[in-house]
Amino acid sequence: MREYIVEMNHIVKSFGEVRAVRNGEFTLRKGEVHSLIGENGTGKSTMMKLLYGMYPIDSGEIIINGEKIEKLDPKSAIAHGVGMVHQEFMLVNDLTVLENVILGFEPKKGLTIDFEKARKDIQHFIDRYQMDIQLDKKVSQISVGEAQRVEIIKTLMRGVDIIILDEPTAVLTPQETRKLFEILANLKAEGKSLVFISHKLNEVMEISDRISVMRQGQYMGTVDKDKTSPLELTKMMIGREVFLNIDKTYSKVGGKVLEVKDIWVSSLKETSKIRGMSLHVNEGEIVGIAGIDGNGQSELIEAITGLRKVEKGSVILNGQDITNKKPRAIRETGLAHIPENRNTRGLNHTMSIEDNLIAVEIDKEPYTKGIMMNVDASSKYAEEMVKQFDIRPTDYKLPTSALSGGNAQKVVVAREVSMNKKLLIASQPTRGVDIGAIETIRNTLEIAKKKGTGVLLVSAELEEIISLSDRIIVIHEGRITGELAANEANENNLGLLMMGGEDELEKGETES
Amino acid sequence: MNQSLKSFIKILITIVLSLLIGTIFILVTGENPISAYGALLKGALGTKLGLGTTIANFTPLLLTSVAFVVAAKVGAFNVGVEGEVILGGLAAAYIGINWVFLPAPLLLLACFAGAMAVAAAWAFIPAFLKAYYNVSEVCVTILMNSVALYIGSYLVSGPMSAGTAVPQSDPVQVTIPKIMNPSSANAGLFIAILIVVAVIFMLYKTKWGYKIRTVGTNPAHAEYAGIGSKRVFINAMLLSGMLGGIAGCIEVLGVHGFYLDGFAKDLGTNGMLAALIVKSNIVATPFMAFFIAVLKSGALAMQQASGVPKSVVDIITAIFIVIATMEFVIELKKKHKKGE
């Protein structure tokens, strides 16, 4: 018998310009739980969606049960025994659980649906795996955890023996997670093979047999659970890169520019994603925020910049209370902001480089006089910026959609930094840009700091945080777990705090 | 420039294709397509009356199509232009009949101002609902069109009725001079052209236009940059409504001389079609509006001269939309393929 029932070799997958998976590798043994971990946007979900046939691969090969599959779509994936439980449930709210499970392959009795047979079949799985499911309730009336079990039953009913679970615990309470893990253990005991996608290390350490790590679309390696530790996994996930040389200066730190006092903020899906954060930024220093992606960084920045509502607590900028003020008012109080997503927030790709450079100052002289836009002034300014930040191509009348990621990001950085505001928020300033642009952007932040700007830096690159920051604040699940001076910080102690600190880890270990 | 040349060629191809398919329908009716199209062109452009009718058709279409484009630039699909035309016409008629204490030039101005104000207020409702409660402006404007239509019908059948068999109001005391008797073409054409030029200028040369385009193309960016997207959205919808109101005012004061029930029929829809065919390219829209005006005014002549029913013209305009949409689908597919 073959060692692996699934093999994915040298997988490459791009979406337009974005290379979601550069070099993906994955193998699955029969009857194991194999976790795929990595930060957000590292291609782990994409890898599994490729296995489930939701998109075709660009290159590479997928082998299931020894057979090389040329053309894969969800239907044939199911026929090959691969099922997937998606992050977003694919259930019809107004149908009952029973109807949902059989939707698409209803057992027939003449012209009508044989509900009795369906019920019996499903009940068989429910009993076998001790799933707690109420078949006659509508999906809109059941809990998230139950809906997830319905999804699992759905895959089982289709006769699969490989089940992919895409971040199944993200939506569950700890109790429901416990229940899920029991079911997964039952499934494994029955010989099913499971793929578990997650970025929560303690869960991964609890249920996996083997663990594969991905970073920026690259396969980083596979380890046996028994031979690894959360610390090693963190290092694999975050990684080390070539150290870019930045002459870090310790300038004289001035008064407080930004003060965040015990704020609570909701995210799109979770209420109180941020639970009581307090921090401050002084003039002339860079404060780095370290943390695994998705632990509240985005919500914190949006709350400070007025793009998300603060539920409780206050934000003070330049001595003025800016809590829940409009973005424009906050900018006028002294904020510049390099947003984490340059494509949706930072730039308007239908407009020219020049028009994007004046986007936040469109109401000000000299770019408008009265109501008229002053093209002479904005062109002159654009010409200067293109030269100063080495934006290529240099034709500033081109739309920003024509620029590479690095050059597009330089447009955002040029605009925000050249305003010389008191506070500069830089969120993932070098994400997805080339090495040359990384250097330009990092130096720009350093220069801003020397000029006395207070900089709040959020980055998924630990190396970037360590090399640029004067102080480092670590967050985990919406809370600050520690603060370190830059010269005390290293990947070990930061990694520990990023996982919730010593207490959390010990707790995790005794549990498992 | 290259880009605009390309889109110009695309529009030409669309026109030719639709005329070709129209040819098939004409052949089905057993007529000669060349003589039918000839009669259509001659009827629309070849005689003084025909040309005048074409211009009279073109004037409101120019305004309603640009009204649709302005809304589209801010990301709204304003089906409600027709309702705005009706209410603008009503306001102009009311003022033109009752405010006779004003000297004529001031009365004329008052009619336009009133039409713009009422139409803008009407457009405010869907704009506000969309901006603050995310209610689909498409649904709201479609429904409000019926409401506007019946408000007009009620008023000219009741309180504002001239007492004639046809539901219409008393004549207004100020009119816009006709320019090509005996047709309905009137000096409103020049007003419309001036206003449209001003709107194009506003969209591309002023900070208001910049904000409208930003909100329309990337609202998340607008929010981040501190551009109050809700306010900009509402303002653009108000402007769109005003343009509809002006069209109504010109129809009442320039064409009819009173408020005639149902005068706005299809004015909004055809303006919307003109804009949709050229994908809300504001420079191409007036040309498309003119082309539709030619088809509409020539259709009757074609029917009289050749026996081809004038509904063939409606078929041709419908095919326009289909082809223009198809091109949109093809482009999407290309993008999708590239994405894979």
Side-chain angles (χ1 to χ4, degrees), chain B residues 88-303:
Chain B
L90 264 180
Y94 179 84
I95 294 170
I97 294 164
N98 294 308
W99 291 17
V100 283
F101 51 85
L102 288 174
L106 278 185
L107 183 56
L108 188 66
L109 275 182
C111 286
F112 273 99
M116 283 158 70
V118 171
W122 193 249
F124 176 79
I125 299 168
F128 177 81
L129 289 174
K130 169 76 175 188
Y132 287 92
Y133 298 99
N134 202 23
V135 180
S136 162
E137 78 278 15
V138 181
C139 291
V140 176
T141 50
I142 288 176
L143 296 173
M144 284 177 64
N145 276 346
S146 305
V147 177
L149 183 67
Y150 289 115
I151 290 178
S153 294
Y154 162 71
L155 285 178
V156 293
S157 313
M160 280 174 73
S161 167
T164 50
V166 181
Q168 66 182 51
S169 73
D170 288 325
V172 287
Q173 297 306 308
V174 63
T175 55
I176 301 170
K178 298 262 197 312
I179 51 172
M180 289 179 79
N181 275 324
S183 77
S184 302
N186 60 76
L189 171 69
F190 307 115
I191 300 173
I193 290 175
L194 272 180
I195 286 172
V196 166
V197 169
V199 167
I200 296 177
F201 182 82
M202 187 281 295
L203 273 179
Y204 289 94
K205 297 288 177 197
T206 70
K207 64 175 182 183
W208 296 334
Y210 179 98
K211 289 181 182 177
I212 287 176
R213 287 180 290 131
T214 301
V215 171
T217 46
N218 189 343
H221 168 75
E223 185 193 18
Y224 150 85
I227 294 169
S229 51
K230 291 188 166 83
R231 244 176 64 190
V232 171
F233 182 88
I234 291 176
N235 286 343
M237 280 291 279
L238 294 186
L239 176 61
S240 173
M242 283 182 201
L243 292 171
I246 293 170
C249 180
I250 290 175
E251 287 295 285
V252 167
L253 300 188
V255 175
H256 306 290
F258 47 80
Y259 182 95
L260 174 68
D261 191 27
F263 80 98
K265 188 168 184 308
D266 289 346
L267 288 185
T269 334
N270 285 331
M272 183 170 88
L273 294 191
L276 281 177
I277 291 170
V278 295
K279 298 187 200 83
S280 297
N281 175 334
I282 198 165
V283 179
T285 300
F287 294 99
M288 195 39 77
F290 185 76
F291 185 72
I292 290 183
V294 167
L295 287 181
K296 292 279 167 196
S297 69
L300 198 63
M302 180 178 75
Q303 177 169 314

Side-chain angles (χ1 to χ4, degrees), chain A residues 14-16 328 331 337 339 344-348 350-351 355 359 363 371-373 415-416, chain B residues 201 204-208 210-211 213-214 217-218 220-221 223-227 338-340:
Chain A
S14 299
F15 296 101
R328 184 195 175 100
R331 280 184 172 276
H337 175 201
T344 54
R345 284 271 192 221
L347 296 169
N348 184 341
T350 61
M351 289 197 178
D355 280 350
D363 280 321
I371 61 159
M372 297 287 299
M373 288 169 73
R415 179 183 68 213
E416 299 300 322
Chain B
F201 182 82
Y204 289 94
K205 297 288 177 197
T206 70
K207 64 175 182 183
W208 296 334
Y210 179 98
K211 289 181 182 177
R213 287 180 290 131
T214 301
T217 46
N218 189 343
H221 168 75
E223 185 193 18
Y224 150 85
I227 294 169
K338 247 172 85 187
E340 283 185 1

Side-chain angles (χ1 to χ4, degrees), chain A residues 332-403:
Chain A
E332 263 153 29
T333 316
L335 165 82
H337 175 201
I338 300 166
E340 65 178 356
N341 190 332
R342 62 177 162 271
N343 295 318
T344 54
R345 284 271 192 221
L347 296 169
N348 184 341
H349 280 320
T350 61
M351 289 197 178
S352 65
I353 298 174
E354 173 183 337
D355 280 350
N356 269 290
L357 281 168
I358 59 164
V360 298
E361 302 205 298
I362 181 69
D363 280 321
K364 300 214 178 75
E365 299 233 14
Y367 309 118
T368 49
K369 279 185 183 155
I371 61 159
M372 297 287 299
M373 288 169 73
N374 183 353
V375 181
D376 290 342
S378 56
S379 295
K380 200 173 140 234
Y381 172 64
E383 199 171 331
E384 239 171 71
M385 288 297 115
V386 164
K387 218 178 274 166
Q388 190 184 330
F389 288 87
D390 189 27
I391 296 165
R392 275 175 274 186
T394 55
D395 180 1
Y396 46 81
K397 299 283 181 191
L398 285 174
T400 53
S401 54
L403 300 180

